[in-house]
Amino acid sequence: MFCIQCEQTIRTPAGNGCSYSQGMCGKLAATSDLQDLLIYILQGVSAYAEKARAFGIIDPAVDTFVPKAFFATLTNVNFDDERIIDYTKQAYAYRAQLKAAYEAACKEQGQVVEALIPAASLVLASVKEEMLAQAAQTLPNRGKEEVNEDIMGLRLLCLYGLKGAAAYMEHARVLDQTDSEVAAKFHEIMAFLGSDSVDADKLFATAMEIGQLNYRVMAMLDEGETQAFGHPEPTQVNTVAVKGKAILVSGHDMKDLELILKQTQGKGINVFTHGEMLPALAYPELKKYPHLVGNYGSAWQNQQKEFANFPGAVVMTSNCIIDPNVGDYADRIFTRSIVGWPGVTHIVGDDFSAAIDKALSLEGFAYDEIPHHITIGFARNALMAAAPAVVENVKSGAIKHFFLVGGCDGDKAERSYFTDIAKAAPKDSIIMTLGCGKYKFNKLGFGDINGIPRLLDIGQCNDAYSAIQLAIALSEVFECEINELPLSLVLSWFEQKAIVILLTLLSLGVKNIRTGPSAPAFLTPNLLKVLEDKFGLRNTTTVEQDLNAILNVA
Amino acid sequence: MNQQDYQSPNWQAGETRLVCVERWQETHDVTSFRFQGAQPVKFHFKPGQFITFLLDIQGERLARSYTISSSPSRPYSLVVTIKRIPGGRVSNYLVDNLKTGHSVNVSGPAGAFNLIDIPASRYLFLSAGSGITPMYSMSRWLTDTQVGSDIAFVHSAKAKEDLIFHDALLKMTQRHPNMALHYSLESGESLEACPSFEGRLTLEMLAKAVPDYLERTVFVCGPEPYMQAVKGMLEGVGFDMSRYHQESFGGPSTASSLQAEGQGDIAASAPFMLQVGDLSTQLTGEQTVLEGIEAKGLPIIAACRSGVCGACKCQVLSGETESSSEMTLTPAEVEQGFILACSTRLKSDVTLSLA
């Protein structure tokens, strides 16, 4: 195996990346290899999809399948070999289908059938053992002997960035948001990445294109979410146990949460959100359900303890899942969509009775805890509603700085940096947050500035879109560039969604972003230097040093 | 209560989940909370002991101790009585948020200030303010289990409206001729059916209320200045201090032994590294180990924060420390490097184990 896509990947003086029998996430070498093979076949599918499009041949099923299957290879999503093989076989069938359609169209119009990337012609082995033997030629760092490490780093940046965008495409698709142009661009980039380019400029430009593509995807997702569930409203939510039978819904897909809420109505089951599902509690069409009682637990890396202590069923609608056998709850966790874990019940379709029956069979919480409320729901609309007051306070000097501290959470001790910087941020600053990185500080008391809460929880990681909209609005009010605003972005990254959001911000020209706790292992010193020179992108240092630098510059 | 609850097992020391089954106002700023076990339990503790609430308040894990105001002679529930105080983060949080049906994690019971470990034949209870809570538990215990106990009780308060347990204590004294209750009220208000003095407690008042006070075993609880005053007063008249027992309520340790010992500015403020597991933090020689542990967000229970309760016991694996209290530690534990984090400061870089 070779996998270097997440923050916890192995780093050694001899080289970075998980390349032994198991990744740091628990993914076995075979699973990793099968995922790489899947991606390779998907690149072949995209190569044909791109060519076929020139003839007006568009298959919406393929357009949604490729990003979805790609999403299955994201960190902490699918550890089930059989499901990965199924995706691969499906991809292979689609590839054949598109190939035939493309070649027929060429023939019909008297055009020459073009030779495509090798991924478009790989003959997929029929059994797992033979598929695994094919993995050597499909590893993400294939050909590393021939290319310099900066090129390899750029390829990986693009591959992982596009994977993040694919995940958001699938999240948007669930909410009926698809766009043929977006799909076309996606296939184009996916096919390009299958070409193993050695053109640094082209790869760098592609990274920016991925960022731009993802900006569109986040807008679609925002549209889908607000259309389906209304605009988030500032909402006080409880974050502790409530007496009664219980279901915990984790991941990002609010559609699943809505289905669960509908199907548990009147059944005496309390529904809790977990991790990145927390923002759902602020959407009018979800919070209207009285049995959606609050959020339980914190970010993904604590699930083995929190799920173990949760006396009900758990539904994992998307990333991140980690080994449920550790906390001995594999029999009461359920996976959805692209998520998979060997031996865990996977719910297909819209019927959640398996999870509901499980929740009913379990004890539930025997007691209430003293409610602990936090305020969430400061997405685009709420931020815009608050904008005049914010502007007034900026003009009067009551608000001197804005921080956006968020991203992914993780279990490295260095991540206390994000708690510390939020706590140390001056009292005349506003802290916006998003993603599961917020759990590093979202239960602390930050107070308010003339009624404006100092901590504004914008939402899920993809709600970076809302933060960008606020920044644009503020820059218009103050008649300046976004980079001239007293706004500092301090982002924690863990997996590929964070990578693509970073690419989006860079592609929008946002400068001087700090990221931590460590730089992606696939970025070489040269690439980091380029990113620093071009965008002022830098790694976090110490809270004191960074705050000094941020506030002196501002 | 069903038969199963009636036969519930005795409460074992350690962490327990309790459920609040009732709350009521004792005075304008004092609230009592009645608890039962989340799992049915008979509360077995020593009258005068405290429990420690383990709470998560605004993302911070906080622990505070409160005396049990009920008596173990009535073991099916447990009452804690809490006064709202300015800046009292935990007390005010509980008064504002803990409602009937809510559960809380507590540890305990603990505390050496109790009637089982301090045997006596004639009792003198001196309390002020919310320091009345252990005395109330003790009085209830004695009148329930040792009818005829000789109890003299002098409680000091600001005003009539601040009297906690007044009616219940009055009933106790009416039923038990060997129990006498006196008050000293700063307001100078008079009380029906109970003698009271005007002003803060003085030796004269004490001698008048309890003529044989010198022969009694005295239990004192109240704010620090009150206890200091009482202690000074009794020492001044040659009271046999082996029969003097006091409970101190909260507040950071007032002792600053390092500075008092004149270690010099440099030595006292030199930063040392405190290493706990993977985490390390810098501490000056003036900061306590507890401050370092809490700054890193590590799990530690610090109840009294004064070197009294023993909750913050941890072990020094290497390095030099200095402690202002080892009160609850056995000589063997001290030998093994155990310290009370709230009462210990670094004298060198130190590696610590919380286990």
Side-chain angles (χ1 to χ4, degrees):
Chain A
M1 76 178 282
F2 178 77
C3 184
I4 194 169
Q5 65 181 354
C6 81
E7 193 245 346
Q8 66 185 359
T9 195
I10 293 171
R11 295 164 201 248
T12 69
N16 295 337
C18 293
S19 56
Y20 301 100
S21 61
Q22 195 172 15
M24 292 298 283
C25 62
K27 181 169 67 175
L28 296 173
T31 313
S32 181
D33 289 346
L34 290 170
Q35 290 184 351
D36 292 336
L37 180 61
L38 166 61
I39 295 168
Y40 195 75
I41 299 290
L42 290 172
Q43 286 171 336
V45 178
S46 282
Y48 277 114
E50 185 191 9
K51 290 295 166 199
R53 258 184 157 72
F55 294 99
I57 302 165
I58 296 171
D59 185 344
V62 173
D63 288 354
T64 58
F65 173 81
V66 178
K68 180 176 179 174
F70 196 14
F71 185 7
T73 70
L74 194 114
T75 301
N76 292 334
V77 170
N78 200 320
F79 297 75
D80 188 337
D81 291 358
E82 297 315 311
R83 298 262 315 278
I84 300 296
I85 290 171
D86 287 347
Y87 280 129
T88 311
K89 288 180 175 166
Q90 178 66 57
Y92 195 62
Y94 278 133
R95 197 188 75 183
Q97 198 178 303
L98 280 169
K99 179 176 189 281
Y102 163 66
E103 289 175 356
C106 285
K107 194 173 171 191
E108 195 180 302
Q109 300 196 15
Q111 292 189 19
V112 181
V113 173
E114 284 182 58
L116 299 185
I117 55 173
S121 54
L122 180 79
V123 178
L124 181 67
S126 55
V127 294
K128 184 175 170 181
E129 289 64 36
E130 289 168 24
M131 287 180 185
L132 288 170
Q134 294 183 306
Q137 55 181 312
T138 65
L139 290 175
N141 64 343
R142 55 186 178 256
K144 66 176 163 43
E145 299 76 14
E146 285 95 49
V147 297
N148 84 42
E149 56 178 16
D150 296 336
I151 295 289
M152 190 55 76
L154 280 170
R155 283 185 196 167
L156 293 170
L157 175 64
C158 290
L159 181 74
Y160 297 148
L162 191 63
K163 189 183 287 190
Y168 291 131
M169 285 171 75
E170 169 60 10
H171 286 312
R173 203 270 314 159
V174 169
L175 296 161
D176 303 321
Q177 298 294 316
T178 55
D179 182 314
S180 190
E181 275 182 34
V182 166
K185 189 72 192 170
F186 172 84
H187 287 307
E188 180 197 319
I189 298 171
M190 190 74 174
F192 169 69
L193 295 180
S195 74
D196 296 342
S197 171
V198 291
D199 182 340
D201 292 340
K202 176 84 170 73
L203 282 165
F204 196 85
T206 300
M208 293 302 105
E209 284 178 13
I210 292 168
Q212 283 294 312
L213 175 74
N214 188 59
Y215 185 54
R216 288 185 65 176
V217 175
M218 287 199 296
M220 286 160 57
L221 182 49
D222 181 282
E223 180 70 15
E225 287 171 340
T226 52
Q227 263 185 21
F229 310 117
H231 281 276
E233 302 162 346
T235 305
Q236 291 247 310
V237 302
N238 191 11
T239 58
V240 295
V242 175
K243 188 175 176 176
K245 307 260 182 199
I247 289 185
L248 187 59
V249 186
S250 187
H252 302 71
D253 275 329
M254 292 189 277
K255 189 83 180 282
D256 278 354
L257 176 64
E258 187 186 36
L259 289 169
I260 291 167
L261 286 167
K262 283 182 176 163
Q263 293 171 29
T264 47
Q265 259 177 321
K267 289 210 157 80
I269 297 174
N270 289 325
V271 179
F272 294 81
T273 61
H274 172 264
E276 274 284 72
M277 197 60 82
L278 163 63
L281 290 156
Y283 284 85
E285 289 302 311
L286 296 170
K287 71 184 216 181
K288 70 179 184 186
Y289 293 93
H291 60 301
L292 179 61
V293 294
N295 188 70
Y296 181 85
S298 54
W300 65 273
Q301 74 277 2
N302 302 319
Q303 66 185 255
Q304 285 169 334
K305 199 171 163 202
E306 290 170 355
F307 292 177
N309 289 334
F310 187 81
V314 180
V315 178
M316 193 52 91
T317 69
S318 67
N319 58 313
C320 291
I321 188 171
I322 46 180
D323 191 348
N325 298 303
V326 170
D328 201 19
Y329 51 83
D331 62 331
R332 55 187 173 86
I333 189 169
F334 299 82
T335 59
R336 281 288 282 168
S337 177
I338 35 67
V339 188
W341 193 280
V344 164
T345 307
H346 186 68
I347 297 178
V348 181
D350 288 348
D351 181 2
F352 284 86
S353 24
I356 293 167
D357 291 345
K358 178 56 82 174
L360 288 171
S361 76
L362 294 164
E363 279 185 16
F365 286 108
Y367 43 75
D368 289 325
E369 283 178 34
I370 300 174
H372 178 187
H373 288 101
I374 59 172
T375 306
I376 62 162
F378 292 94
R380 188 157 54 88
N381 250 27
L383 286 176
M384 291 309 168
V390 169
V391 167
E392 200 179 298
N393 278 282
V394 172
K395 285 181 175 163
S396 76
I399 296 174
K400 292 210 171 60
H401 205 88
F402 296 87
F403 291 88
L404 176 66
V405 187
C408 317
D409 205 359
D411 61 1
K412 277 196 178 173
E414 301 92 291
R415 285 180 180 267
S416 63
Y417 171 94
F418 297 97
T419 310
D420 296 341
I421 197 162
K423 279 162 108 172
K427 297 279 175 274
D428 55 8
S429 64
I430 296 279
I431 302 159
M432 298 181 286
T433 189
L434 48 79
C436 62
K438 73 180 63 145
Y439 285 101
K440 280 280 181 275
F441 49 81
N442 71 339
K443 288 172 188 164
L444 304 177
F446 287 93
D448 66 290
I449 298 175
N450 299 326
I452 301 165
R454 282 194 58 229
L455 180 67
L456 299 174
D457 183 343
I458 295 175
Q460 295 181 342
C461 47
N462 48 282
D463 292 313
Y465 181 74
S466 279
I468 294 167
Q469 300 317 303
L470 178 72
I472 292 171
L474 288 177
S475 69
E476 282 166 4
V477 173
F478 293 110
E479 295 176 351
C480 66
E481 298 288 314
I482 286 182
N483 292 316
E484 291 165 354
L485 288 171
L487 166 67
S488 304
L489 286 76
V490 186
L491 305 180
S492 51
W493 85 280
F494 184 80
E495 36 79 324
Q496 302 83 63
K497 286 178 168 177
I499 294 295
V500 80
I501 286 177
L502 181 65
L503 291 179
T504 297
L505 291 168
L506 297 180
S507 73
L508 291 169
V510 180
K511 293 201 160 66
N512 302 318
I513 300 172
R514 286 175 166 76
T515 63
S518 54
F522 53 82
L523 290 180
T524 61
N526 286 339
L527 293 174
L528 289 170
K529 179 83 172 45
V530 169
L531 291 170
E532 183 170 354
D533 292 347
K534 218 170 156 64
F535 300 107
L537 182 74
R538 70 202 78 179
N539 213 45
T540 53
T541 61
T542 66
V543 167
E544 197 182 9
Q545 197 177 323
D546 288 350
L547 274 183
N548 278 340
I550 286 168
L551 297 170
N552 288 337
V553 168
Chain B
M1 178 175 300
N2 59 34
Q3 197 177 15
Q4 199 185 342
D5 291 350
Y6 172 75
Q7 289 169 343
S8 55
N10 273 346
W11 187 28
Q12 299 297 317
E15 212 171 306
T16 321
R17 186 165 279 280
L18 303 182
V19 178
C20 176
V21 293
E22 187 186 6
R23 62 171 278 169
W24 65 94
Q25 205 78 18
E26 296 282 0
T27 72
H28 63 100
D29 61 354
V30 175
T31 308
S32 282
F33 300 87
R34 185 186 303 280
F35 295 97
Q36 287 178 336
Q39 302 298 322
V41 72
K42 283 208 288 277
F43 293 101
H44 187 59
F45 60 96
K46 297 170 181 173
Q49 285 193 308
F50 59 81
I51 53 170
T52 301
F53 284 73
L54 310 171
L55 299 162
D56 190 341
I57 303 180
Q58 291 202 309
E60 258 184 85
R61 191 161 161 84
L62 296 172
R64 289 291 185 278
S65 300
Y66 294 94
T67 303
I68 303 164
S69 57
S70 56
S71 161
S73 52
R74 302 178 179 194
Y76 286 98
S77 68
L78 178 146
V79 179
V80 165
T81 302
I82 300 176
K83 184 181 178 186
R84 174 184 281 288
I85 39 172
R89 203 168 160 204
V90 177
S91 295
N92 297 352
Y93 170 80
L94 289 170
V95 171
D96 291 340
N97 295 288
L98 179 57
K99 305 276 158 59
T100 303
H102 290 160
S103 79
V104 283
N105 261 344
V106 304
S107 79
F113 185 75
N114 67 71
L115 288 188
I116 307 303
D117 297 324
I118 308 171
S121 56
R122 281 189 284 169
Y123 303 90
L124 173 55
F125 295 158
L126 297 177
S127 62
S130 56
I132 198 168
T133 49
M135 310 310 182
Y136 184 65
S137 172
M138 292 175 177
S139 300
R140 181 67 78 191
W141 167 258
L142 290 172
T143 53
D144 276 355
T145 65
Q146 295 161 49
V147 178
S149 293
D150 184 346
I151 307 165
F153 196 148
V154 183
H155 179 68
S156 303
K158 282 208 175 80
K160 200 173 155 184
E161 61 163 11
D162 297 312
L163 293 180
I164 309 168
F165 309 134
H166 174 58
D167 292 343
L169 283 171
L170 212 54
K171 277 200 185 107
M172 261 189 240
T173 56
Q174 284 163 356
R175 282 240 310 276
H176 299 275
N178 287 341
M179 178 173 176
L181 176 65
H182 292 79
Y183 289 110
S184 74
L185 294 179
E186 285 179 47
S187 66
E189 290 160 286
S190 61
L191 293 164
E192 283 171 35
C194 185
S196 62
F197 300 99
E198 180 179 347
R200 296 195 174 190
L201 182 69
T202 62
L203 203 57
E204 289 70 37
M205 290 178 198
L206 186 58
K208 205 169 166 192
V210 191
D212 62 349
Y213 71 92
L214 284 172
E215 291 151 34
R216 291 176 177 263
T217 299
V218 59
F219 294 81
V220 187
C221 185
E224 199 65 39
Y226 166 84
M227 290 198 293
Q228 276 176 16
V230 170
K231 193 175 180 191
M233 217 158 69
L234 291 175
E235 278 172 341
V237 293
F239 185 83
D240 175 2
M241 294 309 277
S242 70
R243 282 186 278 108
Y244 176 92
H245 306 281
Q246 73 170 43
E247 177 74 300
S248 82
F249 266 8
S253 167
T254 50
S256 186
S257 53
L258 272 182
Q259 279 167 320
E261 284 166 22
Q263 298 278 318
D265 290 341
I266 297 166
S269 60
F272 300 119
M273 289 309 291
L274 175 68
Q275 183 82 33
V276 188
D278 297 342
L279 299 178
S280 64
T281 187
Q282 211 171 50
L283 285 183
T284 68
E286 287 149 1
Q287 290 174 292
T288 62
V289 170
L290 177 62
E291 287 173 70
I293 294 170
E294 289 183 337
K296 294 314 272 184
L298 290 166
I300 188 162
I301 297 169
C304 73
R305 311 178 79 86
S306 325
V308 178
C309 74
C312 62
K313 183 173 88 172
C314 45
Q315 190 178 17
V316 173
L317 302 177
S318 71
E320 236 187 299
T321 59
E322 185 158 53
S323 296
S324 56
S325 169
E326 294 174 344
M327 202 184 282
T328 65
L329 303 175
T330 64
E333 284 176 328
V334 173
E335 183 64 28
Q336 289 157 23
F338 282 97
I339 55 153
L340 299 179
C342 68
S343 309
T344 301
R345 291 161 176 83
L346 303 189
K347 290 190 80 182
S348 74
D349 292 350
V350 161
T351 305
L352 199 70
S353 164
L354 295 185

